[in-house]
Amino acid sequence: MNLDLIQKLKFEKDLSREEFLYLLYNQNDFKEKLFKEAKEVTKKHFTNKLYVRGLLEISNICKNNCYYCGIRCGNKNIKRYRLNSEEIIKSIIVGNHLGFKTFVLQGGEDPYYTDEILCEVLKEIKKIAPDAAITLSVGERSFDSYKNLKNAGADRFLLRHEAVDNELYYKLHPKEMSLENRKKCLFNLKKLGYQTGSGFMVGAPYQSYENIVEDLKFLKDLNPEMIGIGPFISQHDTDFQSFENGSVELTVFLIAILRLMFPSANLPSTTSLATLSENGRIMGINAGANVFMPNISPEFAKENYNLYDNKLYSKMESAKNLNNLKTSFKNLGYEIVMERGDFVPENHYEEI
Ligand code: 5AD
């Protein structure tokens, strides 16, 4: 095995388990070539464009108790909040004025959000911003529920699989949760025609390179249109408070691998990456990420949506901030664009 592994990954968009493992155990030997190729592929598909999505954190109330997560139901030390329909719409109106063309509604699995409530909100958003894409990230629901939401206007759905190895999954989640159901939800979302996003944390407690390889293989199977990965960050009110944070270097190495596996997928440079390193966001982008998601939540929501410690707190309410962002990325060679940036299959242009 040698440097041709990167070439192989680029052309076949996949490797054997052994080959992926070899890459992970020998990152230093492959870094330079991997980043170079990932950058080239990103440029080919997205030129120098960076797509922004307005992220609205609608609720930190969650019925699940994922051991790593700061908003798990067992955490009695956080202030809970939820945005009602009106508050969601208010934030969307602000985001719409700023020019966002994608809105991501993310929250814990909060039973308050029945299909009825969410469908009404979706329809209202489509009235306010008919050309905008709506992404939901509200966890596991039934096939029929996903169908209702899709019919009411949801275009995309983010649901990280978190860990596909059974043993690891149940080290990170209580036994009341179900890996099988999570996978089923993801395939249902695909079946219903959502642009579907999945992903996992890098450096989660107990995670091995072997586990990561299984996650990559699962993603290949699912073939999602979006993939979000970010480093695990310990949260002081969880069982995992004394575990080490995930590695920024490994995260960006994996973003570059994902770019070669999924040339036209939308890959965000995540807030967790930006939280762990001052240069995290740009490192993710330089490795092949083409998306990032400024937070457009109201202040009280931002303050309390603490999945992990020291979460980067960005101010995005004003056009001035957005302009500053545009300028600073322009200086780095990227153009921030507000378009929807829907997933375009890789061979789209070759076929027509
Ligand atoms: N560190 C990093 N990411 C986390 N998430 C939840 N808790 C943490 C943490 N402690 C991620 C999960 C979830 C996404 C919204 O945030 O992967 O899917």
Side-chain angles (χ1 to χ4, degrees):
M1 286 198 257
N2 53 37
L3 285 181
D4 288 347
L5 270 189
I6 302 297
Q7 218 50 24
K8 182 171 175 193
L9 177 60
K10 183 178 176 189
F11 288 108
E12 296 183 11
K13 304 180 185 82
D14 200 5
L15 291 176
S16 71
R17 287 179 163 74
E18 294 69 31
E19 289 168 331
F20 274 131
L21 260 187
Y22 189 84
L23 281 189
L24 290 176
Y25 277 109
N26 298 282
Q27 287 167 47
N28 281 335
D29 299 343
F30 293 102
K31 250 182 205 162
E32 198 179 327
K33 172 119 171 117
L34 174 64
F35 287 131
K36 182 175 159 278
E37 297 292 353
K39 200 160 191 137
E40 210 166 275
V41 170
T42 314
K43 223 173 170 177
K44 180 173 164 220
H45 288 278
F46 302 101
T47 63
N48 67 338
K49 288 191 162 98
L50 278 180
Y51 292 84
V52 289
R53 322 294 196 196
L55 174 66
L56 187 56
E57 294 160 334
I58 60 174
S59 169
N60 70 355
I61 297 171
C62 190
K63 66 177 168 60
N64 294 329
N65 202 35
C66 309
Y67 301 138
Y68 46 84
C69 185
I71 68 166
R72 74 203 162 84
C73 64
N75 185 1
K76 302 293 173 227
N77 295 329
I78 63 164
K79 210 164 121 197
R80 302 283 174 175
Y81 75 88
R82 74 162 60 95
L83 306 189
N84 62 26
S85 309
E86 233 169 77
E87 291 166 313
I88 293 176
I89 296 302
K90 259 193 197 157
S91 293
I92 296 291
I93 291 174
V94 175
N96 190 43
H97 274 125
L98 288 174
F100 284 100
K101 286 278 174 274
T102 296
F103 297 103
V104 182
L105 272 48
Q106 181 170 89
E109 289 197 17
D110 180 347
Y112 167 82
Y113 297 108
T114 57
D115 285 3
E116 205 185 338
I117 289 182
L118 279 182
C119 288
E120 278 310 307
V121 169
L122 288 164
K123 287 183 203 152
E124 193 57 36
I125 297 176
K126 286 278 158 168
K127 271 194 221 150
I128 297 164
D131 321 324
I134 310 175
T135 305
L136 291 177
S137 179
V138 291
E140 296 175 27
R141 301 174 79 99
S142 69
F143 182 88
D144 286 343
S145 172
Y146 286 149
K147 192 171 167 185
N148 294 338
L149 299 173
K150 181 97 189 13
N151 289 337
D155 304 281
R156 310 174 186 161
F157 204 104
L158 301 175
L159 182 73
R160 289 187 179 176
H161 68 276
E162 310 294 0
V164 81
D165 178 81
N166 212 52
E167 217 172 283
L168 179 62
Y169 184 87
Y170 289 103
K171 281 182 178 162
L172 301 177
H173 303 93
K175 61 178 187 323
E176 293 73 33
M177 292 180 71
S178 157
L179 172 59
E180 280 318 303
N181 191 53
R182 197 151 193 99
K183 288 196 274 188
K184 197 169 102 203
C185 285
L186 282 162
F187 285 101
N188 283 344
L189 289 164
K190 287 279 295 189
K191 204 182 292 173
L192 285 163
Y194 280 93
Q195 289 172 52
T196 305
S198 196
F200 57 93
M201 290 179 295
V202 178
Y206 310 109
Q207 183 190 56
S208 64
Y209 282 164
E210 283 77 1
N211 293 147
I212 292 177
V213 170
E214 292 311 313
D215 288 324
L216 296 177
K217 284 292 189 187
F218 171 74
L219 289 171
K220 200 74 226 183
D221 247 17
L222 177 69
N223 197 23
E225 286 78 20
M226 309 178 277
I227 302 166
I229 64 166
F232 161 75
I233 303 177
S234 73
Q235 204 280 352
H236 65 278
D237 282 320
T238 65
D239 296 349
F240 293 157
Q241 55 181 271
S242 46
F243 276 85
E244 250 181 65
N245 292 335
S247 144
V248 169
E249 280 68 32
L250 177 57
T251 305
V252 293
F253 192 80
L254 285 165
I255 289 177
I257 288 182
L258 288 170
R259 175 52 70 214
L260 293 186
M261 291 175 75
F262 302 93
S264 56
N266 282 317
L267 305 181
S269 187
T270 57
T271 306
S272 57
L273 194 54
T275 297
L276 274 197
S277 159
E278 211 186 323
N279 298 322
R281 178 148 286 146
I282 191 69
M283 285 168 77
I285 290 163
N286 284 334
N290 66 311
V291 167
F292 84 97
M293 316 206 306
N295 197 325
I296 59 163
S297 308
E299 288 301 291
F300 68 93
K302 274 185 198 166
E303 274 165 27
N304 293 299
Y305 198 79
N306 292 320
L307 305 178
Y308 44 80
D309 287 343
N310 305 315
K311 186 168 151 249
L312 200 73
Y313 190 94
S314 68
K315 273 195 179 286
M316 192 39 68
E317 300 75 21
S318 71
K320 188 168 143 246
N321 284 317
L322 195 58
N323 281 331
N324 287 345
L325 206 66
K326 285 182 180 167
T327 312
S328 54
F329 275 103
K330 197 170 175 196
N331 293 334
L332 296 165
Y334 294 98
E335 183 196 357
I336 291 201
V337 295
M338 311 287 280
E339 293 138 49
R340 285 171 62 120
D342 281 292
F343 174 81
V344 179
E346 194 196 347
N347 47 8
H348 180 76
Y349 297 107
E350 284 147 29
E351 275 174 7
I352 54 176

